[in-house]
Each structure stands twice: as C-alpha cells, then as structure tokens.
C-alpha cells in the first residue's frame, strides 16, 4: 500500500507533531518544499537506477523510522521535517518511476493489457489512500502512548508495511524486465535542446539550407536516436501546457471544499460526518468508478463505434470538472443565504439578553440622542436575533435606557465598528444593571461548536470540558471566554467551586453553533443553566456536496488514469520516466495556480468557484484544438525517425538540400 505511506500533504492528525504555530502558519511552506524535493528526485534520477538499487523503499522506511522518533515525547521536531523531506524524495522517485516500470513489463502487442494495468495501478493508489485515511487515525486515537495519542504507532505500522513491501519487491527482482540504465536522461535532453538552439542561432544565415525540424540542428553532436526521442518528448510536453488548470481544480477537494463542508451540517441521521471526512469520498468513488468506466461505460461507447481516444477522454474529464465547480458554486450561494451576516463599516450588531426577573424595554440612543433601537425583551428570552445599529464614527459611546417595571436605568457603553455585541441585563438587588460583552460574531471552524458561560452564583466556578485547561468563570455575572468543542452530547460536565463539585448537563452541541450558558442556581441534581443559541446551527446538509464529488471523481478517472497511460504510450523507450515526471510536474504547477488566484483574486468563495470553472472551460477548448491536430506516436515511428540520415556539417557550413519547412 504505497499510497498509505507516501502522502506528502499534511493531514489534520499529523500537524500537531510540528511545533505549535507551524500547523497553520507554515504548513503552506512545508508542502511546496516537499513538492520541490519530489520534483527534483523524479526529474534528475533515472528510474532504472532507483529500482536497481532499491533506494525508493529505503527512503520510505527511513521516513517511517524518523516519524516514529519524532512522535516520541522528546520534542525532536526537526525529525518530523527530516522525515517529510525523506518521503518527498521517495515520492518523487517512486511516483513517476513505478508507473513507467510497470508499463515496461508489457510488450507492444499487449497495449490493451497495459491500459488495464494503469487503471489497476491508479485503483491501488486510491485503495491505499482510503485505508490509510481510516486506519491510521484509529491507530493514533484509539491507542494511548506516553499518556497521549499514539503517533508512534500511527507512523510505525505504515513504516513496517513499507519494509515488508521492500522485502516482497526484492524477492521478485529477478522476474522483472529491467532496461539497462541510460544515465541522466533529463540532462541529455536539456543539453541536446540547448545545443540545437545555439547551433541554429550561429547558422541563421539565409544562405544555408533549412532543416525539417529545429532539433535537427543538434545532429552534429548528438546521436540521431536521441534527437528523435527528444522530438517525441517535446511534442507531448507542448500538449501538457494547458493541463495544470485541471489539477488546480481537482486538488481543492482538500482545501476549499473542506472549508465549505465546515459550514454545513454533517448529521446524516444514521451517521455523523466531520467536515474533513468528506475527503474519503473521493478515493472511495475512484474504487467504484475505475471498474465501472473500464468494464461498462467505455465498452458501451466502443460498441456505438465512437472513437473515444485518450485525448477525448481527457477533454471530457475537464468538462466534468467544470460542472463540479459550478455545482460547488451553487452550494456555496445556498450556504451564504443561511450564514450569520457580518457588520459593515460604521455598523455593529447588537443582541439583547434579559437575565432579570421581568420584561425590560431597551432604548438605545446615539451621541445626538437619536433613537437607534427600541426593543422589549422578555425574561430569559431565547433569541438569535441581532439588531443592526449605524454609527457616526468608527468608535462611539451609546446610551442605553432600560425600563424595568416602574424603574428607569441609564447606562453608557463604548462600541467599535464591525463588531457584534451582547447587552446582558441582570438583576441588581431591587433594580437592574447591564453590561456589554463583545461577541465572536462568526461560526466556529471545522464543524466545531463554541460555548461560553455566565456565572450568576456568588462563587467562582471552574468548568472542565475535556480540553487543555479548565474554564474559569468569575462570580456575580462573570463572563468566560469562548471555548470550541467537538460536536456531540455533553450530559455531565465536571464543575467545581472552592468547596463543592457539581455536574452540568450541556445537552447536544451541534455543528457550527455558538452557545451561551447562564448558570442560574444549584440544586440537588447539580448546576442549573439556561441555554441560548447566539449563532444557529448549520442547516444545509453536507450530503449536498455529494454531486460535486461524483462529478470531480468521474473527471479524475477520465483525466488522470487516461493521462498516465497516454504519457507512457507516447514516450520513447528512453523517456518513459521523464514524461511521467513531467505529468506529475503539471500537478505542482496546478497547486501554484490555486495559491496565486487565492492570493490576488479577492473574490467571494462562490465567485472564485465560478472563476475556476470558467478558466478550465477556456483551457479545455484550447486543449481540444491542440488535441485535434496532435498525431499520436506509434511504436514504429521512433524507429523510422532513427533510421533517417542527416548529413554531417563541416564547420558552420551545412551540405544539405533545401526542404520545405513543416509548421
């Protein structure tokens, strides 16, 4: 299961191994570093050398050892980075080379079986991804090591499996077809292209006869078979230019789509999904779609006598990805209609909570005694309503007039723009008083629930929520800070004062909801609290993401699996791993496109989805035109090109007959 040990992206359960602060602020710099090492190793080391020396499995094994050591309670954080660097080097070697190595096991007359191999190969990758996504967090969370989650076991098991894979791989070494190493192919290709360009520049005189191809100007130094191979390579690389845009969309499943899932309700009735668990849907659907497409859909299309070539499959995959992001944009607009709004410039949102024994009429006056709000609030009235108040400046003093029974109370509070506030009215002997508390105003991230407490008792209170430290709430209407907790039921939360221990029933805490608990009194059954929702629960079901995942997974199967086989079939024998590495390089460029667009677009999320969808549609049209004029390379084409004779050059003068130039 190579994919289970080879993912260089940082899943949520890996990030705590890094130094606090790295998991959010610097992971964006770690992933490109790993990507750079992966590209470097894949481009500069020929796969025959990797395979012959078995260096790739060794790197994976050392990665497991380093991450096990890093997960021990010794605070060797540098080992985590060393382990990630090792797996990046191993990934760059194994991903392009294992695909080319597997394709080399088939003769040219077994092209159909080779195509099926690439489907099974991609299926195996996603099977490993699916298994690791489920099993590894279970090994980490269900087993305790050194009094905490067992990261050593989570990394140790994949490391041991990689050692086992190394043993199995070495046992079958004599049965493999292993072409002899041909040196550093990438360096030869670059030198050949550079010499051809320089030689053409030196011999740019119009009196010299033209050559059929610009790479023929390298014939004075490099063998004809290498020039023919480089010609075939450049033809395919030119076709790869539009491809990064597809990966820019596909790889947002683990970022933008997960952020979208954070704002949705994961309760499916029979099962509760966390937002990041939706990513499991992609490899699961890949396992279903690969046999479905190979055994059913492609065969039905073939029976209809439609020439559904590899390039046409890739173009259809692009269109499906466009549709997936169009659906994602529709879901995002639906979410935006349900989320809590945010105050604009020179605005605040105000929520009034009445903790007094009777009804209170609240009047809010501005600096010019102009009325901003008039509202009557019942005692312990549960409301998620926020009133919008317009300010005359960025910060302003507001006058609050409270009418309670026959009493009138006046209070002044300062506010600042773009904030949400809660006006808490409480009993003060025979009268009432008020205090203004700044509210979070936003939904908690990652599908969490946010809670805070108001303590009306005359004793300080400590509340334990199974997090890092107890939450302290001061006496006499003390207000705690917000604390985020996982969604679920909390029937008996541990609470204690200076002399007694109590339990508190918080009930069900739901996705994306902000709760306020007002602790009112103590009974024989424990603490009694009034529960209010400041920000309501996420209402849109996470199941609405299913259509976009189905579309993008179908796009991935048609584009990625087909592209792997196309890259191998169109590459000369000496360029197999080079072209596979170039295929993976388009993935890295796609990720860079996402970073650039996200940094400089400044668009709302739904508009960004539409932008990506439109960009890919334009790229798909360009790719379709390029594919229409592309002539697929056949196995005999390379041999014929090698047999062609190109006369030698004496000095800078070329003894050639003039030929027509082919565009």
């Amino acid at each position: 299961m190579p994919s289970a040990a080879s993912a260089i992206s940082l899943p949520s359960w890996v990030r705590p191994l890094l130094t606090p602060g790295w998991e959010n602020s610097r992971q964006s710099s770690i992933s490109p570093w790993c990507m750079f090492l992966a590209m470097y190793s894949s481009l500069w080391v020929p796969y025959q050398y990797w395979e012959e020396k078995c260096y790739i499995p060794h790197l994976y094994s050392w990665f497991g050892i380093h991450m096990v050591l890093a997960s021990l309670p010794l605070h060797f954080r540098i080992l985590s980075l060393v382990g990630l660097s090792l797996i990046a080097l191993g990934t760059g070697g194994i991903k392009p080379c294992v695909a080319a190595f597997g394709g080399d096991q088939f003769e040219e007359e077994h092209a159909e079986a080779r195509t099926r191999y690439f489907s099974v190969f991609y299926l195996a990758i996603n099977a490993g991804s699916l298994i690791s996504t489920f099993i590894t967090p279970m090994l980490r969370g269900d087993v305790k090591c050194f009094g905490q989650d067992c990261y050593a076991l989570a990394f140790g098991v994949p490391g041991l499996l990689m050692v086992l894979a190394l043993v199995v791989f070495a046992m079958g070494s004599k049965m493999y077809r292993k072409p002899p190493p041909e040196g550093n192919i990438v360096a030869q290709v670059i030198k050949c292209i550079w010499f051809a360009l320089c030689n053409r520049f030196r011999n740019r005189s119009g009196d010299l006869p033209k050559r059929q191809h610009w790479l023929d100007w390298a014939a004075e130094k490099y063998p004809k078979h290498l020039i023919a191979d480089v010609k075939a390579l450049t033809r395919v690389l030119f076709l790869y230019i539009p491809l990064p845009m597809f990966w820019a969309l596909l790889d947002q499943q683990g970022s933008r789509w997960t952020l979208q899932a954070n704002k949705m309700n994961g309760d499916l009735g029979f099962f509760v999904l966390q937002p990041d668990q939706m990513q499991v849907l992609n490899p699961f659907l890949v396992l279903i779609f690969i046999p479905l497409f190979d055994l059913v859909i492609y065969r039905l299309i073939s029976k209809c006598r439609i020439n559904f070539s590899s390039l046409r499959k890739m173009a259809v995959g692009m269109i499906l990805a466009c549709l997936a992001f169009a659906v994602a944009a529709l879901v995002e607009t639906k979410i935006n209609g349900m989320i809590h709004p945010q105050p604009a410039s020179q605005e605040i949102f105000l929520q009034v909570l009445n903790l007094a024994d009777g009804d209170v009429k609240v009047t809010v006056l501005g600096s010019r005694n102009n009325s901003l709000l008039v509202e009557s609030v019942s005692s312990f009235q549960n409301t998620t309503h926020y009133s919008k108040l317009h300010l005359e400046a960025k910060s302003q003093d507001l006058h609050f007039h409270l009418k309670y029974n026959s009493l009138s109370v006046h209070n002044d509070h300062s506010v600042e723009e773009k904030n949400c506030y809660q006006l808490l009215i409480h009993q003060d002997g025979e009268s009432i008083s008020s205090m203004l508390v700044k509210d979070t105003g936003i939904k908690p991230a990652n599908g969490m629930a946010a809670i805070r407490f108001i303590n009306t008792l005359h004793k300080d209170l400590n509340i334990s929520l199974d997090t890092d430290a107890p939450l302290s709430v001061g006496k006499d209407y003390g207000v705690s800070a917000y604390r985020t907790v996982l969604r679920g039921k909390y029937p008996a939360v541990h609470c204690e004062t200076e002399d007694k221990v109590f339990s508190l029933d918080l009930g069900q805490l739901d996705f994306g909801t902000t709760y306020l608990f007002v602790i009112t009194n103590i009974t024989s059954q424990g603490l009694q609290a009034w529960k209010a929702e400041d920000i309501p629960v996420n209402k849109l079901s996470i199941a609405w993401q299913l259509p976009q995942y189905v579309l993008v997974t179908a796009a991935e199967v048609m584009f990625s699996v087909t592209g792997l086989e196309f890259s191998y079939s169109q590459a000369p024998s000496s360029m197999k791993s080079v072209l596979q590495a170039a295929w993976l390089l388009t993935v890295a460029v796609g990720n860079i496109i996402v970073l650039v667009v996200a940094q400089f677009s400044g668009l709302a999320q739904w508009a960004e989805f539409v932008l990506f969808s439109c960009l890919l549609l334009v790229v798909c049209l360009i790719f379709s035109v390029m594919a229409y004029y592309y002539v697929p390379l056949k196995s005999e084409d390379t041999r014929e090109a090698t047999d062609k004779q190109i006369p030698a050059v004496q000095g800078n003068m070329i003894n050639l007959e003039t030929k027509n130039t082919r565009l």
Side-chain angles (χ1 to χ4, degrees), residues 422-442:
Q422 286 181 325
L423 180 68
L424 303 178
I425 304 171
H426 60 86
Q427 205 77 31
D428 187 9
E430 296 296 329
S431 182
I432 59 173
S433 182
S434 69
M435 57 182 178
L436 194 66
V437 180
K438 185 180 291 187
D439 195 2
T440 177
I442 58 175

Side-chain angles (χ1 to χ4, degrees), residues 11-29:
S12 57
W13 58 271
V14 175
R15 296 169 192 164
L17 280 181
L18 301 174
T19 304
W22 276 66
E23 59 268 23
N24 292 323
S25 62
R26 300 186 184 178
Q27 65 167 324
S28 58
S29 62

Side-chain angles (χ1 to χ4, degrees), residues 348 391 394-398 413-417 421 436:
I348 66 166
L391 306 180
K394 293 183 178 180
S395 61
Q396 184 178 336
D397 291 334
L398 299 181
H413 299 288
S414 297
V415 296
E416 295 180 355
E417 66 174 0
Y421 293 92
L436 194 66

Side-chain angles (χ1 to χ4, degrees), residues 199-421:
N199 194 27
R200 179 68 184 91
F201 181 77
R202 288 193 299 265
N203 297 280
R204 61 186 181 277
S205 173
D207 298 334
L208 298 177
K210 297 181 179 180
R211 298 192 179 185
Q212 187 176 15
H213 194 280
W214 62 272
L215 279 169
D216 291 335
W217 290 92
E220 290 76 26
K221 185 176 181 180
Y222 293 95
K224 292 180 283 295
H225 71 86
L226 176 63
I227 296 175
D229 289 351
V230 176
K231 288 180 183 179
L233 177 68
T234 54
R235 290 173 67 247
V236 182
L237 290 181
F238 176 73
L239 201 61
Y240 280 1
I241 294 176
L243 302 189
M245 184 53 65
F246 175 84
W247 301 111
L249 273 70
L250 183 69
D251 290 342
Q252 292 189 47
Q253 298 176 71
S255 56
R256 301 308 174 92
W257 285 14
T258 302
L259 293 177
Q260 185 184 73
N262 287 336
K263 298 176 285 187
M264 306 177 76
N265 195 321
D267 190 357
L268 303 178
F270 58 91
F271 187 74
V272 177
L273 271 177
Q274 296 298 326
D276 56 353
Q277 288 179 328
M278 281 297 290
Q279 300 177 42
V280 179
L281 194 60
N282 175 253
F284 176 75
L285 289 175
V286 167
L287 299 182
I288 297 175
F289 282 178
I290 285 180
L292 176 65
F293 276 74
D294 283 349
L295 302 179
V296 179
I297 296 179
Y298 291 158
R299 293 189 179 185
L300 289 177
I301 295 175
S302 178
K303 289 185 178 295
C304 296
R305 297 183 179 180
I306 298 176
N307 182 19
F308 204 33
S309 64
S310 297
L311 296 178
R312 290 181 179 178
K313 293 176 184 177
M314 295 169 67
V316 172
M318 289 183 176
I319 295 174
L320 291 177
C322 292
L323 294 176
F325 267 69
V327 173
L330 292 175
V331 173
E332 189 69 23
T333 55
K334 186 68 174 178
I335 294 174
N336 291 341
M338 299 180 177
I339 63 174
H340 189 271
Q342 295 297 308
S345 179
Q346 293 190 356
E347 287 182 353
I348 66 166
F349 287 168
L350 179 66
Q351 183 185 49
V352 180
L353 295 178
N354 181 12
L355 308 182
D357 295 335
D359 297 348
V360 177
K361 182 179 180 181
V362 180
T363 303
V364 182
L365 303 177
S367 57
R368 301 177 183 177
N369 288 328
N370 54 314
S371 178
L372 299 178
L373 174 67
V374 178
E375 183 177 0
S376 295
V377 186
S378 302
S379 178
F380 288 90
Q381 177 179 328
N382 193 350
T383 177
T384 58
H385 169 68
Y386 279 80
S387 300
K388 181 190 297 184
L389 304 184
H390 295 275
L391 306 180
E392 298 176 2
K394 293 183 178 180
S395 61
Q396 184 178 336
D397 291 334
L398 299 181
H399 309 288
F400 294 84
H401 180 206
L402 311 177
K403 188 173 182 180
Y404 171 67
N405 296 332
S406 60
L407 298 174
S408 293
V409 178
H410 298 271
N411 296 121
D412 293 338
H413 299 288
S414 297
V415 296
E416 295 180 355
E417 66 174 0
K418 298 181 181 180
N419 283 313
C420 298
Y421 293 92

Side-chain angles (χ1 to χ4, degrees), residues 158-202:
L160 290 175
L161 291 176
M162 202 64 225
V163 172
L164 179 62
L166 171 61
V167 173
V168 175
F169 180 75
M171 290 173 60
S173 178
K174 294 183 179 180
M175 297 184 292
Y176 305 144
R177 293 183 57 201
K178 294 179 288 187
E182 300 183 24
N184 195 326
I185 300 298
V186 175
Q188 295 181 36
V189 170
I190 294 176
K191 291 178 181 179
C192 179
I193 294 175
W194 179 253
F195 182 82
L197 293 174
C198 293
N199 194 27
R200 179 68 184 91
F201 181 77
R202 288 193 299 265

